[in-house]
Each structure stands twice: as structure tokens, then as C-alpha cells.
Amino acid sequence: MARSRGRPVLVGALLVDSIGSGLYVPLSLIYFVELAGVPQVSLGAMLSAAALLTLPLPVWVGYLADRYGAFPLVIGSHVLQAAGFLGYGWASHPAEVFAVVLAVAAGVRVFWSVVFTAVADFADGSPSAMAKDLWFAWVNTFRLVGFGTGVLISGIALSVDEPGAYLATSRSAAGCYLVSAVALALFVRVPARAHDPDDVGTGYRAVLRDRPFLGFTALNAVFALSSRMLALGLPSTVLYELRGPGWVTSAVLVANTALLAAFTAPVTAFLRRFRRTRVLMLAACLWSVWGFSFAALAPGGPVWLLPVLAGGAALLFTAAEILHGPTSTALVNDLAPVAARGRYLAAFQYSFTASGIVAPLFFTALFDLRPGLPWLVLGLVNLGALAGVRAFERVAGERRPGDAVRAGPGVSGPGRGWRRARGSDRPRRPGPRPRSVRSSPRRPR
């Protein structure tokens, strides 16, 4: 049987790719303003137009991933982003600037539409018994480390405030993507998927008829919105509502990134014994309490109290992010027939896309009415999402008994509470009561 090869290279390539992403973020709104004289409003319009033009890409990417494999598309996304960043050096007219911005936006959209399909395909052929929850957790961990490293390097380089520093940063980002693409192409091998012969009718019509999946994708838009709100809303809340020092925002965001990188994988490993739906319900509960906590923050306290309160509340946000990220992706992976994995995971990305479109308007409109209102509404919406996940658990448990709603030693069927499961992936131990640790049980035939 063919096996996947190149696991260390895969992890390293995704780390290098994320360094390139970190190098890019500080450049996105200032590079062409400083070097090409493009007005900031015009550049913002170009970025928005590029984002809109790339919206249909996940549909095609999911189809191509199921037909030809996901890894060629990951490699192609890196090449596309590298070409865009190399183009930063010569683009000076508006049409040229838009062309390179569009190339980068398309590469980013393709990457996020297919990367988790690629990781799941690699995991299927890997000799490792590690569950997909943990694969996704480790990918998130390495990407966070790489992204933070890239942002730090970019911040140092751009503090020089010289054209050469801007150009060097964009070329370094291009180099990261090219190195990642070459490494994946030369050293990573993934066997073709072993499709279940019972997985028929797995085109997008079947995806659109899968009501549990569509319902969960809609619920995940709430979670995706919540995951954006700390970075989006904390600066305004600290500066305009709480009248606090700017370093509070930086300290909270840096601590959030560090805690995510340090604890996502070990916490995910621990949570494999519980049902994924219950893990997501706990995440919704934590986000809800976090929203209510931020809504209750008020100006006028001692200077030392603000970072304590904001940081303490942000710990709830961080815990919710740790619970949500790998668990939600692994759940969708198990909801999908193997033959349609690429389409399901690509369609699932639209929940994150929708949240990215809604989040700025959601926060600014409510904040303008009352500074604590966006956090209050976010808490209430997450309470609704919690109830929605409970309803999804019942429906998914009826249609896919003992399947996606459970994690490692998850629960057999819908069940109740935080019970542990009775099924597993590992070989059975001798004895009267064998136990198992399967994270992604096979669909019943």
C-alpha cells in the first residue's frame, strides 16, 4: 500500500510559508502608498475588489482537489503568491498594482481553500496513528509560530523606513513562498485517495443537499466572526472607550498568539476523548462570557486594573480559539465523504470569508451606537450558536451515528454529557473490555 512521505518537509514548508504571510501583512496597506504613490483609499478599493473577484475560487479549487489532488493546488498557490510579491518590485501604475494585488489575493484564497484537504490526504496515507484533530492542531501551531516570526521581522525591517527595506521585505516573502513550493514539490508524496465505492453523487449538488453540513457551516460563521473580534475590536475599545494606553492592545494580542502556539496541540490531544460538538459548545460558551466581560469593562479605574481585566477576559477568548480551530475542521472532514473532501472543506471556508466581510461593519456600526454593544451582541449570538450546535449534534448523530460528532475516544452516537467513547483506531487489546482511540471512525457501509 502506498504511503505518504515527507512529513518533516511538509511541516517545515508550511512554517516557511507562514513566515511569508507574516512578512506580507504589515506591507498590505503601506507598500504601494510609500513606493508607488498610490492613494490609500485607492489601494483599499483595489484590495476589496481583489477579494471580491477571488470569491468564486473555493468552488473550483474544491472540485480540482477532489479530481487531481490537493497538493498541486497548494504548490500552485505558493507560486502565485511568490509571483505577486516579486511583482511588487516593478508595479508602479494602478493597473500593474492591481494585477499583483490580485495575484496575491488569489494565491491566499486558493491556499486556505485547499490546505486542510492536503493535510487530511497526507494523514490518510501516513503511518502515524495521529488523529486528524491533532494534524490540524500542529499545522495551526507551526503556522502561528511562522506568522509571528514573519510579522516581527517585517516590523523590524519596516521601522528603517527606507524604500530598500520595503523591497527587501516583499522579496523575502516571495522567497519564502518559492522555497515552500519547491520543497513540497520535490520531497512530499501523497498517495491517491482510496475512495469509498459507496460515496456516489458527491458533486456540489450533494454538498448543497447536506443540511447538517450547511447548518454547521452557518453556525461556524458565528465562531469565525468571534475569532476576528479581538484583533479587530480591542484597539478601538482600549483607545476610545477605556482611554487606556496603546501597549495594552499589543500585550494582549502578543499573549494571545503565544498561548495559541503553546497550547493548541496539547489541549487538542486531551480533548480527543470528548465529542467534538461538546467541545464546540464549550467554545461558544467561553466566547459568550468573553463578550459579556468586555461589554462590562468601563473607564475610570486604576491604570493597573485595565490590563488585568482586559487580559483576563482575553484568556477566555484564547481558550475558545484553542477549542474551536482544529475541532471544527476535523468535524467537517469527517462529515464529508472521502470523494468530496475537497469540496466540503473548500465550501466550509466560506464561513470564514463571510465573517471577514461582516466583521468590520458589525463592530463599527454597533460601536458607534454604544461602545459595549458589539461585545454584548457577540455574547448573545454565541449563546444562540451554542444551542445551534446542540441541535446539529442531534441531527448529525441520527444521520451519521458514531461518526463526525465524536472525536478520539468520542461518544458512540449522540449520547449525553462528556461521556467517553467505546470505539477506536488502535488495535484492540486482549481482555474482556477492549477500548479504542479512533478519532475519525469510518463511515458505516
Side-chain angles (χ1 to χ4, degrees):
M1 178 181 176
R3 291 286 190 180
S4 299
R5 291 189 288 112
R7 176 178 168 180
V9 177
L10 169 63
V11 173
L14 292 178
L15 175 67
V16 172
D17 156 83
S18 62
I19 292 174
S21 300
L23 290 170
Y24 154 70
V25 168
L27 287 176
S28 57
L29 278 176
I30 62 173
Y31 184 94
F32 291 112
V33 174
E34 295 293 329
L35 267 65
V38 177
Q40 193 170 44
V41 173
S42 300
L43 181 59
M46 291 181 189
L47 291 170
S48 297
L52 288 173
L53 287 174
T54 59
L55 279 178
L57 282 178
V59 175
W60 296 103
V61 168
Y63 167 78
L64 293 172
D66 288 332
R67 186 171 180 86
Y68 301 108
F71 268 91
L73 292 164
V74 173
I75 295 168
S77 74
H78 288 162
V79 171
L80 195 56
Q81 290 175 85
F85 283 116
L86 288 174
Y88 270 45
W90 58 264
S92 56
H93 298 292
E96 298 169 346
V97 171
F98 182 68
V100 298
V101 165
L102 182 61
V104 172
V108 171
R109 186 81 73 191
V110 170
F111 176 82
W112 285 111
S113 299
V114 78
V115 63
F116 292 113
T117 302
V119 172
D121 289 348
F122 188 93
D124 282 345
S126 172
S128 170
M130 189 165 67
K132 293 206 175 61
D133 310 63
L134 280 172
W135 279 95
F136 298 143
W138 279 112
V139 166
N140 286 345
T141 295
F142 279 95
R143 285 196 59 80
L144 280 167
V145 171
F147 183 82
T149 302
V151 169
L152 179 62
I153 295 172
S154 182
I156 294 172
L158 297 184
S159 66
V160 178
D161 197 23
E162 292 288 340
Y166 290 91
L167 187 59
T169 304
S170 66
R171 287 178 175 172
S172 297
C176 288
Y177 289 114
L178 285 176
V179 168
S180 182
V182 171
L184 291 174
L186 294 180
F187 302 110
V188 177
R189 293 292 178 267
V190 181
R193 282 187 215 158
H195 291 179
D196 189 329
D198 292 338
D199 288 341
V200 294
T202 51
Y204 275 112
R205 288 184 180 179
V207 174
L208 294 175
R209 288 196 299 266
D210 192 334
R211 292 185 178 180
F213 166 72
L214 295 178
F216 180 69
T217 300
L219 290 171
N220 192 69
V222 174
F223 300 145
L225 175 67
S226 302
S227 70
R228 292 178 183 273
M229 292 302 290
L230 184 69
L232 180 67
L234 182 62
S236 296
T237 298
V238 169
L239 182 61
Y240 301 121
E241 166 64 4
L242 304 178
R243 302 292 192 270
W247 62 262
V248 172
T249 297
S250 300
V252 170
L253 294 179
V254 168
N256 168 252
T257 302
L259 290 172
L260 286 173
F263 290 104
T264 296
V267 170
T268 301
F270 171 77
L271 292 172
R272 286 187 60 228
R273 68 196 68 194
F274 304 116
R275 278 180 291 177
R276 293 183 178 125
T277 43
R278 297 303 169 91
V279 173
L280 293 173
M281 289 167 68
L282 178 57
C285 182
L286 291 172
W287 264 320
S288 183
V289 176
W290 167 67
F292 295 145
S293 300
F294 263 42
L297 292 176
V303 174
W304 62 266
L305 186 60
L306 174 59
V308 172
L309 293 177
L315 285 176
L316 299 171
F317 172 92
T318 302
E321 271 203 298
I322 290 172
L323 297 176
H324 166 259
T327 302
S328 61
T329 306
L331 192 153
V332 171
N333 176 78
D334 282 352
L335 283 174
V338 174
R341 174 186 289 159
R343 275 166 274 212
Y344 270 74
L345 287 171
F348 183 60
Q349 288 301 310
Y350 279 113
S351 63
F352 295 93
T353 302
S355 73
I357 295 171
V358 170
L361 180 61
F362 171 88
F363 180 80
T364 54
L366 294 178
F367 190 83
D368 189 56
L369 294 175
R370 185 177 177 182
L373 194 56
W375 308 113
L376 178 63
V377 172
L378 193 68
L380 294 172
V381 168
N382 271 282
L383 287 180
L386 188 157
V389 173
R390 182 69 180 99
F392 162 79
E393 180 185 77
R394 289 195 295 268
V395 173
E398 291 169 2
R399 297 193 179 191
R400 299 173 171 87
D403 195 359
V405 298
R406 78 184 200 183
V411 177
S412 178
R416 290 186 181 275
W418 291 82
R419 289 172 48 205
R420 305 191 180 193
R422 297 187 288 268
S424 136
D425 255 350
R426 291 182 184 170
R428 293 186 178 271
R429 298 175 181 174
R433 297 182 62 188
R435 297 185 59 143
S436 69
V437 288
R438 183 176 191 85
S439 173
S440 305
R442 296 186 182 277
R443 296 170 60 82
R445 295 178 182 267

